[in-house]
Amino acid sequence: MGVASSVVVPYAAYLRVYEPLAAFPEPERTHWKRYAAREEVPTAQDELRRSLADLLSVPPVAVPVHESGDAFVAVVDGVTCVCPWRTRLRGWLALEELSELLPAPVLDAVLPPVVRRQAEADYEQWLEHNPDARPWIRSATWHVPVRWFVLFADEEREFAADAARPSLRYRTPMVQARRRVARGLKVLRGALDDGPLVEGLQSVGRWLEEFHPRSLVELDYGGLVHALPEGQLTEDHSAADVAEGLDALREGDSARAGEAYQRLTDRWRVIRERQFAS
């Protein structure tokens, strides 16, 4: 997942939703209002350090015993919005995906079967009382899913070239994100057969519908900024490439669409290859 040091670097990107306080029922709304008013709130690095501490314990903790009461905070046009971590729920969801990502011997070494079975039983019991629960944060390791870029425009790109902690993120209002998903799906359905890209974008669209319409949607490159070759981060305009590809498909220009897609795949192939480098 990463390394424990002064800077924790899991090579993962994140798609987050920040909801206004009005979206939360009481007493949760009061909790988040007080939380957001604190002088200091935990950062993404703090969240990662806590996750690593659980995994490094003996025996490892696959899923936190208690749900996190922390969140990321953003102020949008004077409105306070929060993105709850919900690390316990996200831990259960990630556990479901591990069997597809890791060979059985590796998975058993990282998380023994008895630990996984207990976590799965706890999740089933929890779901009986929380059938409509959903995470505010989605993550992806060693890449940013193409479908995530559909939600954003190049002018929403925010790049900070800090030598120690560079960052790259996009932020957009929920109404814009939903509109772009709808437009993207219309173009893709008209130009392509149903497949992973269409199905993935549909999934993202359904997820966005679960949140308040005045929410903020954020794509954060997270630890991936440390996996990008030097200089490439500055030139990374993947959202623009995806937008150009969709525009080309809408106009029936398959050659231009192919060129945009090739730029995108070439850029991210370099990063995915690092995942398997010795």
Side-chain angles (χ1 to χ4, degrees):
M1 179 178 178
V3 294
S5 66
S6 60
V7 178
V8 181
V9 186
Y11 298 110
Y14 305 93
L15 188 63
R16 304 185 181 109
V17 172
Y18 295 74
E19 286 197 283
L21 295 175
F24 297 90
E26 292 291 3
E28 191 175 6
R29 183 185 307 171
T30 297
H31 165 74
W32 292 130
K33 183 177 181 180
R34 292 173 177 168
Y35 183 92
R38 293 163 51 179
E39 290 186 5
E40 293 186 9
V41 295
T43 65
Q45 292 291 317
D46 295 323
E47 182 194 19
L48 293 170
R49 288 191 181 95
R50 295 178 192 179
S51 299
L52 285 172
D54 285 341
L55 289 176
L56 294 174
S57 64
V58 180
V61 178
V63 176
V65 177
H66 302 289
E67 186 55 271
S68 172
D70 288 307
F72 298 116
V73 179
V75 178
V76 184
D77 296 329
V79 177
T80 299
C81 298
V82 296
C83 174
W85 288 3
R86 291 296 191 269
T87 50
R88 196 174 194 217
L89 173 57
R90 288 164 55 208
W92 278 320
L93 296 176
L95 192 60
E96 291 182 333
E97 300 175 358
L98 274 182
S99 60
E100 301 176 5
L101 298 175
L102 297 177
V106 177
L107 180 58
D108 290 345
V110 174
L111 290 174
V114 65
V115 174
R116 302 202 306 274
R117 285 196 296 269
Q118 183 59 58
E120 291 164 1
D122 291 343
Y123 185 37
E124 291 178 2
Q125 184 178 18
W126 183 86
L127 273 181
E128 292 179 1
H129 303 284
N130 302 273
D132 299 322
R134 77 284 196 261
W136 278 256
I137 304 173
R138 289 189 169 193
S139 61
T141 56
W142 290 101
H143 74 299
V144 178
V146 172
R147 57 186 176 273
W148 290 7
F149 289 116
V150 176
L151 281 57
F152 305 94
D154 188 59
E155 57 266 24
E156 294 163 343
R157 178 181 183 273
E158 301 175 15
F159 173 58
D162 185 283
R165 290 188 180 179
S167 65
L168 178 55
R169 75 181 183 188
Y170 295 82
R171 283 182 166 184
T172 195
M174 176 63 77
V175 290
Q176 283 283 21
R178 290 177 178 172
R179 185 177 297 119
R180 289 167 182 152
V181 168
R183 291 174 178 171
L185 282 172
K186 182 178 180 180
V187 171
L188 292 174
R189 286 168 176 158
L192 306 173
D193 296 329
D194 286 345
L197 184 55
V198 173
E199 293 170 1
L201 190 55
Q202 286 176 326
S203 175
V204 171
R206 288 192 296 268
W207 179 63
L208 294 180
E209 290 295 333
E210 296 287 333
F211 300 99
H212 193 283
R214 291 191 63 190
S215 298
L216 173 75
V217 186
E218 174 186 79
L219 166 56
D220 181 0
Y221 272 44
L224 286 183
V225 296
H226 300 284
L228 287 159
E230 185 177 357
Q232 185 170 311
L233 190 62
T234 305
E235 302 301 323
D236 185 314
H237 289 269
S238 293
D241 289 332
V242 170
E244 182 178 349
L246 288 173
D247 286 342
L249 286 176
R250 185 183 297 110
E251 297 169 3
D253 189 342
S254 58
R256 185 161 66 93
E259 291 172 359
Y261 183 73
Q262 190 63 51
R263 288 197 302 272
L264 193 69
T265 54
D266 287 347
R267 179 181 304 124
W268 289 99
R269 183 183 299 114
V270 174
I271 301 171
R272 293 302 293 266
E273 287 174 351
R274 290 192 173 195
Q275 179 179 2
F276 305 104
S278 58

Coordinates of all heavy atoms in Angstrom, one line a residue, residues 6-79:
S6 N 8.3 10.0 6.8 CA 7.8 11.4 7.0 C 6.7 11.7 6.0 O 5.8 12.6 6.3 CB 8.9 12.4 6.9 OG 9.5 12.4 5.7
V7 N 6.8 11.1 4.8 CA 5.7 11.3 3.8 C 5.2 9.9 3.5 O 6.0 9.1 3.0 CB 6.3 12.0 2.6 CG1 5.2 12.1 1.5 CG2 6.8 13.4 2.9
V8 N 3.9 9.7 3.7 CA 3.4 8.4 3.4 C 3.0 8.4 1.9 O 2.3 9.3 1.4 CB 2.1 8.1 4.2 CG1 1.6 6.7 3.9 CG2 2.5 8.2 5.7
V9 N 3.4 7.4 1.1 CA 3.2 7.4 -0.3 C 2.5 6.1 -0.8 O 3.2 5.2 -1.2 CB 4.5 7.6 -1.1 CG1 4.3 7.7 -2.6 CG2 5.3 8.8 -0.6
P10 N 1.2 6.0 -0.7 CA 0.5 4.9 -1.3 C 0.2 5.4 -2.7 O -0.2 6.6 -2.9 CB -0.8 4.8 -0.5 CG -1.1 6.2 -0.1 CD 0.3 6.9 0.1
Y11 N 0.4 4.7 -3.7 CA 0.3 5.1 -5.1 C -1.2 5.0 -5.5 O -1.6 4.1 -6.3 CB 1.2 4.4 -6.0 CG 2.6 4.6 -5.7 CD1 3.4 3.6 -5.1 CD2 3.2 5.9 -5.9 CE1 4.8 3.9 -4.8 CE2 4.5 6.1 -5.5 CZ 5.3 5.1 -5.0 OH 6.6 5.4 -4.6
A12 N -2.0 5.9 -4.9 CA -3.5 5.8 -5.1 C -4.0 7.2 -5.4 O -3.5 8.2 -4.9 CB -4.1 5.2 -3.9
A13 N -5.1 7.3 -6.2 CA -5.8 8.5 -6.5 C -7.2 8.4 -5.8 O -7.7 7.3 -5.5 CB -5.9 8.7 -8.0
Y14 N -7.8 9.5 -5.6 CA -9.1 9.5 -4.9 C -10.1 10.4 -5.5 O -9.8 11.5 -6.0 CB -8.9 10.1 -3.4 CG -7.8 9.3 -2.7 CD1 -6.5 9.7 -2.7 CD2 -8.1 8.1 -2.0 CE1 -5.5 9.0 -2.1 CE2 -7.1 7.4 -1.3 CZ -5.8 7.9 -1.4 OH -4.8 7.2 -0.7
L15 N -11.4 9.9 -5.6 CA -12.5 10.7 -6.0 C -13.4 10.9 -4.8 O -13.8 10.0 -4.2 CB -13.3 9.9 -7.1 CG -14.4 10.7 -7.8 CD1 -13.9 11.9 -8.6 CD2 -15.2 9.8 -8.7
R16 N -13.6 12.2 -4.4 CA -14.3 12.5 -3.2 C -15.5 13.4 -3.4 O -15.5 14.2 -4.4 CB -13.3 13.3 -2.2 CG -12.0 12.5 -1.9 CD -11.2 13.3 -0.9 NE -9.9 12.6 -0.5 CZ -8.7 13.1 -0.9 NH1 -8.6 14.2 -1.5 NH2 -7.7 12.4 -0.6
V17 N -16.4 13.3 -2.6 CA -17.6 14.2 -2.6 C -17.7 14.9 -1.2 O -17.6 14.3 -0.2 CB -18.9 13.4 -2.8 CG1 -20.1 14.4 -2.6 CG2 -18.9 12.8 -4.2
Y18 N -17.7 16.2 -1.3 CA -17.9 17.1 -0.1 C -19.4 17.5 -0.1 O -19.8 18.3 -1.0 CB -17.0 18.3 -0.1 CG -15.5 18.0 -0.1 CD1 -14.8 17.5 -1.1 CD2 -14.8 18.3 1.1 CE1 -13.4 17.2 -1.1 CE2 -13.4 18.0 1.2 CZ -12.8 17.5 0.1 OH -11.4 17.3 0.1
E19 N -20.1 17.2 1.0 CA -21.5 17.6 1.1 C -21.7 18.8 2.0 O -21.0 18.8 3.1 CB -22.4 16.4 1.5 CG -22.6 15.4 0.5 CD -23.8 14.5 0.9 OE1 -23.6 13.6 1.7 OE2 -24.8 14.6 0.3
P20 N -22.6 19.7 1.7 CA -22.9 20.8 2.7 C -23.5 20.2 4.0 O -24.1 19.1 4.0 CB -23.9 21.6 1.9 CG -24.5 20.7 0.9 CD -23.5 19.8 0.5
L21 N -23.3 20.9 5.1 CA -23.8 20.5 6.4 C -25.3 20.2 6.3 O -25.8 19.3 7.0 CB -23.5 21.5 7.4 CG -22.0 21.8 7.7 CD1 -21.8 22.9 8.7 CD2 -21.3 20.5 8.3
A22 N -26.0 20.9 5.5 CA -27.5 20.7 5.4 C -27.9 19.4 4.9 O -29.0 18.9 5.1 CB -28.1 21.8 4.5
A23 N -26.9 18.7 4.3 CA -27.3 17.3 3.8 C -27.3 16.3 4.9 O -27.8 15.2 4.6 CB -26.2 16.9 2.7
F24 N -26.8 16.6 6.1 CA -26.7 15.6 7.1 C -27.8 15.7 8.1 O -28.1 16.8 8.5 CB -25.3 15.7 7.8 CG -24.1 15.4 6.9 CD1 -23.5 16.5 6.2 CD2 -23.6 14.1 6.8 CE1 -22.4 16.2 5.4 CE2 -22.6 13.9 5.9 CZ -22.0 14.9 5.2
P25 N -28.4 14.6 8.5 CA -29.4 14.7 9.6 C -28.8 14.9 10.9 O -27.6 14.7 11.1 CB -30.0 13.3 9.5 CG -28.9 12.4 9.1 CD -28.1 13.2 8.1
E26 N -29.6 15.4 11.9 CA -29.1 15.5 13.3 C -29.0 14.1 13.9 O -29.8 13.2 13.5 CB -30.0 16.4 14.1 CG -30.0 17.9 13.6 CD -28.6 18.6 14.0 OE1 -27.7 17.9 14.5 OE2 -28.5 19.7 13.7
P27 N -28.1 13.8 14.8 CA -27.1 14.8 15.4 C -25.8 14.9 14.6 O -24.9 15.6 15.0 CB -26.9 14.1 16.8 CG -27.0 12.7 16.5 CD -28.1 12.5 15.5
E28 N -25.8 14.2 13.4 CA -24.5 14.2 12.7 C -24.2 15.6 12.2 O -23.0 16.0 12.1 CB -24.7 13.2 11.5 CG -23.4 12.9 10.8 CD -23.5 11.9 9.7 OE1 -24.6 11.4 9.4 OE2 -22.4 11.5 9.1
R29 N -25.2 16.3 11.8 CA -25.0 17.7 11.3 C -24.2 18.5 12.4 O -23.3 19.3 12.0 CB -26.3 18.4 10.9 CG -26.1 19.8 10.3 CD -27.4 20.4 10.1 NE -28.3 19.6 9.3 CZ -29.6 19.8 9.1 NH1 -30.2 20.9 9.6 NH2 -30.3 19.0 8.3
T30 N -24.7 18.5 13.6 CA -24.0 19.2 14.7 C -22.6 18.8 14.9 O -21.7 19.6 15.1 CB -24.8 19.1 16.0 OG1 -26.1 19.7 15.8 CG2 -24.1 19.8 17.1
H31 N -22.4 17.4 14.8 CA -21.0 16.9 14.9 C -20.1 17.5 13.9 O -19.0 18.0 14.2 CB -21.1 15.4 14.8 CG -19.7 14.8 14.6 ND1 -18.8 14.7 15.6 CD2 -19.1 14.3 13.5 CE1 -17.7 14.1 15.1 NE2 -17.8 13.9 13.8
W32 N -20.5 17.5 12.6 CA -19.7 18.0 11.6 C -19.5 19.5 11.7 O -18.5 20.1 11.3 CB -20.2 17.6 10.2 CG -20.2 16.1 9.9 CD1 -21.2 15.3 9.4 CD2 -19.0 15.3 10.0 NE1 -20.7 14.0 9.3 CE2 -19.4 14.0 9.6 CE3 -17.7 15.5 10.4 CZ2 -18.5 12.9 9.6 CZ3 -16.8 14.4 10.4 CH2 -17.2 13.1 10.0
K33 N -20.5 20.2 12.1 CA -20.4 21.7 12.3 C -19.3 22.0 13.3 O -18.5 22.9 13.1 CB -21.8 22.3 12.7 CG -21.7 23.8 12.8 CD -23.1 24.3 13.2 CE -23.1 25.8 13.3 NZ -24.5 26.4 13.6
R34 N -19.3 21.3 14.4 CA -18.3 21.5 15.4 C -16.9 21.1 14.9 O -15.9 21.7 15.2 CB -18.7 20.8 16.7 CG -19.9 21.3 17.4 CD -20.3 20.4 18.6 NE -21.5 21.0 19.3 CZ -22.2 20.3 20.2 NH1 -21.9 19.1 20.5 NH2 -23.2 20.9 20.8
Y35 N -16.9 20.0 14.2 CA -15.7 19.4 13.7 C -15.0 20.4 12.7 O -13.8 20.7 12.8 CB -16.0 18.1 13.0 CG -14.8 17.4 12.4 CD1 -14.1 16.5 13.2 CD2 -14.3 17.7 11.2 CE1 -13.0 15.8 12.7 CE2 -13.1 17.1 10.7 CZ -12.5 16.1 11.4 OH -11.4 15.5 10.9
A36 N -15.8 21.0 11.8 CA -15.3 21.9 10.8 C -14.8 23.2 11.4 O -14.0 23.9 10.8 CB -16.4 22.2 9.8
A37 N -15.3 23.5 12.6 CA -14.9 24.8 13.3 C -13.6 24.7 14.0 O -13.1 25.7 14.5 CB -16.0 25.2 14.2
R38 N -13.1 23.5 14.1 CA -11.8 23.3 14.8 C -10.7 24.0 14.1 O -10.7 24.2 12.9 CB -11.5 21.8 14.9 CG -12.4 21.0 15.8 CD -12.3 19.5 15.5 NE -11.0 19.0 15.6 CZ -10.7 17.7 15.4 NH1 -11.7 16.8 15.2 NH2 -9.5 17.2 15.5
E39 N -9.6 24.4 14.8 CA -8.5 25.1 14.2 C -7.7 24.2 13.3 O -7.2 24.7 12.3 CB -7.6 25.6 15.3 CG -8.2 26.8 16.1 CD -7.2 27.4 17.1 OE1 -6.0 27.0 17.1 OE2 -7.6 28.3 17.9
E40 N -7.6 22.9 13.6 CA -6.9 22.0 12.8 C -7.7 20.8 12.6 O -8.3 20.2 13.5 CB -5.5 21.6 13.4 CG -4.6 22.8 13.5 CD -3.2 22.3 14.0 OE1 -3.0 21.0 14.1 OE2 -2.4 23.1 14.3
V41 N -7.8 20.3 11.4 CA -8.4 19.0 11.1 C -7.4 18.1 10.4 O -6.5 18.5 9.7 CB -9.6 19.2 10.1 CG1 -10.7 20.0 10.8 CG2 -9.2 19.9 8.8
P42 N -7.6 16.8 10.6 CA -6.6 15.8 10.0 C -6.5 16.0 8.5 O -7.5 16.4 7.8 CB -7.1 14.5 10.4 CG -8.0 14.7 11.6 CD -8.6 16.1 11.3
T43 N -5.3 15.6 7.9 CA -5.1 15.7 6.5 C -5.2 14.3 5.9 O -5.3 13.3 6.6 CB -3.7 16.3 6.2 OG1 -2.7 15.4 6.7 CG2 -3.6 17.7 6.9
A44 N -5.0 14.2 4.6 CA -5.0 12.9 3.9 C -3.8 12.1 4.4 O -3.9 10.9 4.5 CB -4.9 13.2 2.4
Q45 N -2.6 12.8 4.7 CA -1.5 12.1 5.2 C -1.8 11.4 6.6 O -1.4 10.3 6.8 CB -0.3 13.0 5.3 CG 0.3 13.5 4.0 CD 1.0 12.4 3.3 OE1 1.7 11.6 3.8 NE2 0.7 12.3 2.0
D46 N -2.6 12.1 7.4 CA -3.0 11.6 8.7 C -3.8 10.3 8.5 O -3.7 9.3 9.2 CB -3.7 12.6 9.5 CG -2.9 13.8 9.9 OD1 -1.7 13.6 10.1 OD2 -3.4 14.9 9.8
E47 N -4.8 10.4 7.6 CA -5.6 9.2 7.3 C -4.8 8.0 6.9 O -5.0 6.9 7.4 CB -6.7 9.6 6.2 CG -7.6 8.4 6.0 CD -8.4 8.6 4.7 OE1 -8.0 9.4 3.9 OE2 -9.4 7.9 4.6
L48 N -3.8 8.2 6.0 CA -3.0 7.1 5.5 C -2.1 6.5 6.6 O -1.9 5.3 6.7 CB -2.1 7.6 4.4 CG -2.9 8.0 3.1 CD1 -2.0 8.8 2.1 CD2 -3.6 6.8 2.5
R49 N -1.6 7.4 7.5 CA -0.7 6.9 8.6 C -1.6 6.0 9.5 O -1.1 4.9 10.0 CB -0.1 8.0 9.3 CG 1.0 8.8 8.6 CD 1.7 9.8 9.5 NE 2.7 10.5 8.8 CZ 2.6 11.7 8.2 NH1 1.4 12.3 8.3 NH2 3.6 12.3 7.6
R50 N -2.8 6.4 9.8 CA -3.6 5.5 10.6 C -3.9 4.2 10.0 O -3.9 3.2 10.6 CB -4.9 6.3 10.9 CG -4.7 7.5 11.8 CD -6.0 8.3 12.0 NE -5.8 9.6 12.5 CZ -6.8 10.5 12.8 NH1 -8.0 10.1 12.7 NH2 -6.5 11.7 13.3
S51 N -4.2 4.2 8.7 CA -4.5 3.0 8.0 C -3.2 2.0 8.0 O -3.4 0.8 8.2 CB -4.9 3.3 6.5 OG -6.0 4.0 6.5
L52 N -2.1 2.6 7.8 CA -0.8 1.8 7.8 C -0.6 1.2 9.2 O -0.1 0.1 9.3 CB 0.3 2.7 7.3 CG 0.4 3.0 5.8 CD1 1.5 4.0 5.6 CD2 0.7 1.7 5.0
A53 N -0.9 2.0 10.2 CA -0.7 1.5 11.6 C -1.5 0.3 11.8 O -1.0 -0.7 12.5 CB -1.0 2.6 12.6
D54 N -2.7 0.2 11.3 CA -3.6 -1.0 11.5 C -3.0 -2.1 10.7 O -3.0 -3.3 11.2 CB -5.0 -0.7 11.0 CG -5.8 0.2 11.9 OD1 -5.4 0.3 13.1 OD2 -6.8 0.8 11.5
L55 N -2.5 -1.9 9.5 CA -2.0 -3.0 8.7 C -0.7 -3.6 9.3 O -0.4 -4.8 9.1 CB -1.8 -2.6 7.3 CG -3.1 -2.3 6.4 CD1 -2.7 -1.8 5.1 CD2 -3.9 -3.6 6.3
L56 N 0.1 -2.8 10.0 CA 1.3 -3.2 10.5 C 1.2 -3.8 11.9 O 2.2 -4.3 12.4 CB 2.3 -2.0 10.5 CG 2.7 -1.4 9.2 CD1 3.5 -0.2 9.4 CD2 3.5 -2.4 8.3
S57 N 0.0 -3.8 12.4 CA -0.1 -4.4 13.7 C -0.1 -6.0 13.6 O -0.2 -6.5 12.5 CB -1.4 -4.0 14.4 OG -2.5 -4.4 13.6
V58 N 0.0 -6.6 14.7 CA 0.0 -8.1 14.7 C -1.0 -8.6 15.8 O -0.9 -8.3 17.0 CB 1.4 -8.7 15.1 CG1 1.4 -10.2 15.1 CG2 2.5 -8.2 14.1
P59 N -2.1 -9.3 15.3 CA -2.4 -9.6 13.9 C -2.9 -8.3 13.2 O -3.3 -7.4 13.9 CB -3.5 -10.6 14.0 CG -4.2 -10.3 15.3 CD -3.1 -9.9 16.2
P60 N -2.8 -8.2 11.9 CA -3.3 -7.0 11.2 C -4.7 -6.8 11.3 O -5.5 -7.7 11.5 CB -2.9 -7.4 9.7 CG -2.9 -8.8 9.6 CD -2.4 -9.3 10.9
V61 N -5.1 -5.5 11.4 CA -6.5 -5.1 11.5 C -7.0 -4.8 10.0 O -6.6 -3.8 9.4 CB -6.7 -3.9 12.4 CG1 -8.2 -3.5 12.4 CG2 -6.1 -4.2 13.8
A62 N -7.8 -5.7 9.5 CA -8.3 -5.6 8.1 C -9.2 -4.4 8.0 O -9.2 -3.6 7.0 CB -9.0 -6.9 7.7
V63 N -10.1 -4.2 9.0 CA -11.1 -3.1 9.0 C -11.1 -2.6 10.4 O -11.2 -3.3 11.4 CB -12.5 -3.7 8.6 CG1 -13.5 -2.6 8.7 CG2 -12.4 -4.3 7.2
P64 N -11.1 -1.2 10.5 CA -11.2 -0.6 11.9 C -12.4 -1.1 12.7 O -13.5 -1.4 12.1 CB -11.3 0.9 11.6 CG -10.7 1.0 10.2 CD -11.1 -0.2 9.5
V65 N -12.2 -1.3 13.9 CA -13.3 -1.8 14.8 C -14.4 -0.7 14.9 O -15.6 -1.0 15.0 CB -12.7 -2.1 16.2 CG1 -13.9 -2.5 17.1 CG2 -11.7 -3.2 16.1
H66 N -14.0 0.6 14.9 CA -15.0 1.6 15.0 C -14.9 2.5 13.8 O -13.8 2.7 13.3 CB -14.7 2.4 16.3 CG -14.8 1.6 17.6 ND1 -16.0 1.1 18.1 CD2 -13.8 1.2 18.4 CE1 -15.7 0.4 19.2 NE2 -14.4 0.5 19.4
E67 N -16.0 3.1 13.5 CA -16.1 4.0 12.3 C -15.4 5.3 12.7 O -15.5 5.8 13.8 CB -17.5 4.3 11.9 CG -17.6 5.1 10.6 CD -16.9 4.5 9.4 OE1 -15.7 4.8 9.3 OE2 -17.5 3.7 8.7
S68 N -14.7 5.9 11.7 CA -14.0 7.2 11.9 C -15.0 8.3 12.1 O -16.0 8.4 11.4 CB -13.1 7.5 10.7 OG -12.5 8.7 10.8
G69 N -14.6 9.2 13.0 CA -15.4 10.5 13.1 C -14.7 11.6 12.5 O -15.1 12.8 12.8
D70 N -13.8 11.4 11.6 CA -13.1 12.4 10.9 C -13.6 12.7 9.5 O -14.3 11.8 8.9 CB -11.6 12.1 10.8 CG -10.9 12.2 12.2 OD1 -11.0 13.2 12.8 OD2 -10.2 11.2 12.6
A71 N -13.2 13.8 8.9 CA -13.6 14.2 7.6 C -12.7 15.2 7.0 O -11.9 15.8 7.7 CB -15.0 14.7 7.6
F72 N -12.7 15.3 5.7 CA -12.0 16.4 5.0 C -13.0 17.6 4.9 O -14.2 17.3 4.8 CB -11.6 16.0 3.6 CG -10.6 14.9 3.6 CD1 -10.9 13.7 3.0 CD2 -9.3 15.1 4.1 CE1 -10.0 12.6 3.0 CE2 -8.4 14.0 4.1 CZ -8.7 12.8 3.5
V73 N -12.5 18.8 5.0 CA -13.4 20.0 5.1 C -13.0 20.9 3.9 O -11.9 21.1 3.6 CB -13.3 20.7 6.4 CG1 -14.2 21.9 6.4 CG2 -13.6 19.8 7.6
A74 N -14.1 21.5 3.3 CA -13.9 22.5 2.2 C -14.9 23.5 2.4 O -16.1 23.2 2.7 CB -13.9 21.8 0.8
V75 N -14.6 24.8 2.1 CA -15.6 25.9 2.1 C -15.8 26.3 0.7 O -14.9 26.7 0.0 CB -15.1 27.1 2.9 CG1 -16.1 28.2 2.9 CG2 -14.8 26.6 4.4
V76 N -17.0 26.1 0.2 CA -17.4 26.4 -1.2 C -18.4 27.6 -1.2 O -19.5 27.4 -0.8 CB -18.0 25.2 -1.8 CG1 -18.3 25.4 -3.3 CG2 -17.1 23.9 -1.6
D77 N -17.9 28.7 -1.8 CA -18.8 29.9 -1.9 C -19.4 30.2 -0.5 O -20.6 30.6 -0.4 CB -19.9 29.7 -2.9 CG -19.4 29.5 -4.3 OD1 -18.3 30.1 -4.6 OD2 -20.0 28.8 -5.1
G78 N -18.6 30.1 0.5 CA -19.0 30.5 1.9 C -19.8 29.4 2.6 O -20.2 29.5 3.8
V79 N -20.0 28.2 1.9 CA -20.8 27.1 2.5 C -19.8 26.0 2.9 O -18.9 25.6 2.1 CB -21.8 26.5 1.5 CG1 -22.5 25.3 2.1 CG2 -22.8 27.6 1.1

